[in-house]
Amino acid sequence: MKLFLFVAFLAVLATTVLAWEKEDHEIFDLVSELEAAEGKGTTFYSWLNVPSTASTSEISKAYRKMSMQLHPDKNPNVKDIHKRFSRLGVVATILRNKESRKRYDFFYKNGVPKWRGTGYYYQRFRPGLGSVLVFLVVLTSGLQLLVQRLNYKKDLERIERFVQQAKAAAWGPKAIPLEGQRKVKVNLGGGEDGASSRWIDMVVEGQSVYILDPSGNMDLLDSSAATYPTVSNTWFIALIKSLVSKVYPGTQATTPEDSVAQDDDTSSVAESESSASTVQEKANGSKAARAPTSMAGGKRRKTTTKKR
């Protein structure tokens, strides 16, 4: 019921906004200009010093009297006297016309709306193409960053749930940590039956939980597995980096996060090569493989991997 009333209210509001015509917009402008020049709260009637129930003849009489006072010839050195005199003529014309006075009286009794519709503001503050594009880029990038943050939070919750499930399967209902490695199966789908769920092999060792891949490598499962939301991962920054890499094939636009990740990769490669040469000398030709890396949010990162 509340939802229906809310939708009905929006429908009535939309109908009211769409019902505003050019004449209404002109009244909005005139009211704003009059309050800015003569003082806040000044109305057409109060400016002419007549009641809202004044007749057309009374309005005309008040207009003639005030026009003599505000005539530019009698006030040659008064600032903005021409604008005030012209505004007085427009106000008098509106109040002496039955239809336009009816329009003004509606806003006089109910108040001029603060939000006057997108068309009203667009006509008066018409933005250029560049401003529109900048606004759209900022808006869409901000929304994408917001979605990234929501997904990051969900990923952290999912990782924590898998870790707790793996520990519960390895340690039992008492949740007492056991020594050594424990291989368990964790249901990623959340279903109880095997048909509607997806199971994955994991290894629990102390407080650490690893994902066991078919090759026997164990990849650490922790918060680093989730993609952290950054501005560099939004579509516009990604587009700029892609264009730069195409224009300058030998270079690649990097962010501070990319630089840190590349430094980690470099040190990882150096350490792997050093350890490989040492093992070869001791084992007479045996080979050591470099620690694998995995993708995290579009960047390469060092992965804690173990061999069972």
Side-chain angles (χ1 to χ4, degrees):
M1 185 62 180
K2 291 183 178 180
L3 179 60
F4 173 79
L5 293 176
F6 179 70
V7 173
F9 171 75
L10 290 181
V12 173
L13 182 61
T15 304
T16 304
V17 172
L18 292 175
W20 291 335
E21 301 177 358
K22 181 180 178 181
E23 291 78 6
D24 298 321
H25 292 166
E26 292 177 352
I27 291 176
F28 297 159
D29 288 337
L30 194 57
V31 169
S32 300
E33 293 173 2
L34 183 61
E35 289 189 343
E38 309 298 333
K40 189 172 180 61
T42 304
T43 66
F44 292 2
Y45 296 112
S46 64
W47 195 33
L48 290 175
N49 196 23
V50 295
S52 59
T53 57
S55 63
T56 304
S57 60
E58 290 175 335
I59 292 174
S60 298
K61 183 178 179 181
Y63 164 68
R64 287 194 297 269
K65 178 181 178 181
M66 195 166 185
S67 63
M68 293 179 63
Q69 298 175 357
L70 296 180
H71 199 282
D73 293 341
K74 293 186 176 182
N75 302 275
N77 299 322
V78 178
K79 184 179 180 181
D80 296 332
I81 192 63
H82 289 84
K83 292 182 179 179
R84 296 180 65 193
F85 185 76
S86 300
R87 191 178 301 123
L88 176 63
V90 177
V91 168
T93 301
I94 291 176
L95 295 182
R96 285 184 294 187
N97 181 276
K98 183 178 180 180
E99 181 62 30
S100 59
R101 182 176 180 178
K102 183 179 179 181
R103 286 178 181 271
Y104 173 73
D105 285 345
F106 174 82
F107 299 113
Y108 173 75
K109 296 176 182 177
N110 299 281
V112 176
K114 294 183 179 180
W115 175 252
R116 304 170 184 178
T118 54
Y120 173 83
Y121 291 105
Y122 181 79
Q123 291 177 2
R124 284 145 184 80
F125 310 102
R126 190 183 302 273
L129 179 60
S131 301
V132 173
L133 292 178
V134 170
F135 172 75
L136 291 177
V137 168
V138 173
L139 177 63
T140 54
S141 298
L143 292 176
Q144 185 180 9
L145 186 61
L146 177 61
V147 173
Q148 288 181 8
R149 290 184 180 276
L150 295 176
N151 290 336
Y152 177 71
K153 184 178 179 180
K154 290 182 179 179
D155 289 342
L156 291 180
E157 294 175 352
R158 191 178 299 112
I159 291 172
E160 180 63 22
R161 185 174 71 250
F162 295 156
V163 169
Q164 294 303 323
Q165 290 178 1
K167 290 181 178 180
W171 299 342
K174 294 185 178 180
I176 301 177
L178 302 177
E179 296 293 336
Q181 295 181 350
R182 297 269 176 173
K183 180 180 177 181
V184 297
K185 284 185 175 293
V186 174
N187 185 2
L188 298 183
E192 295 296 335
D193 57 323
S196 62
S197 60
R198 178 188 173 191
W199 296 84
I200 187 172
D201 292 329
M202 291 188 176
V203 174
V204 179
E205 182 179 7
Q207 296 293 333
S208 300
V209 176
Y210 300 87
I211 297 177
L212 182 63
D213 61 26
S215 63
N217 290 328
M218 299 190 307
D219 298 324
L220 181 64
L221 180 63
D222 58 8
S223 60
S224 63
T227 303
Y228 188 79
T230 59
V231 177
S232 60
N233 285 337
T234 56
W235 72 271
F236 185 69
I237 302 299
L239 177 63
I240 292 179
K241 293 195 293 186
S242 176
L243 293 176
V244 170
S245 63
K246 289 182 179 180
V247 175
Y248 304 99
T251 62
Q252 182 178 3
T254 59
T255 61
E257 295 89 345
D258 296 330
S259 301
V260 173
Q262 291 175 358
D263 293 340
D264 289 342
D265 287 339
T266 304
S267 61
S268 176
V269 172
E271 292 174 359
S272 300
E273 292 177 350
S274 176
S275 61
S277 60
T278 303
V279 172
Q280 286 178 349
E281 292 177 358
K282 291 184 178 181
N284 294 325
S286 62
K287 298 181 179 180
R290 182 168 62 90
T293 59
S294 64
M295 299 298 291
K299 303 187 286 291
R300 297 180 63 86
R301 66 179 178 85
K302 186 177 178 181
T303 305
T304 304
T305 307
K306 288 189 176 184
K307 192 79 172 180
R308 297 193 76 233

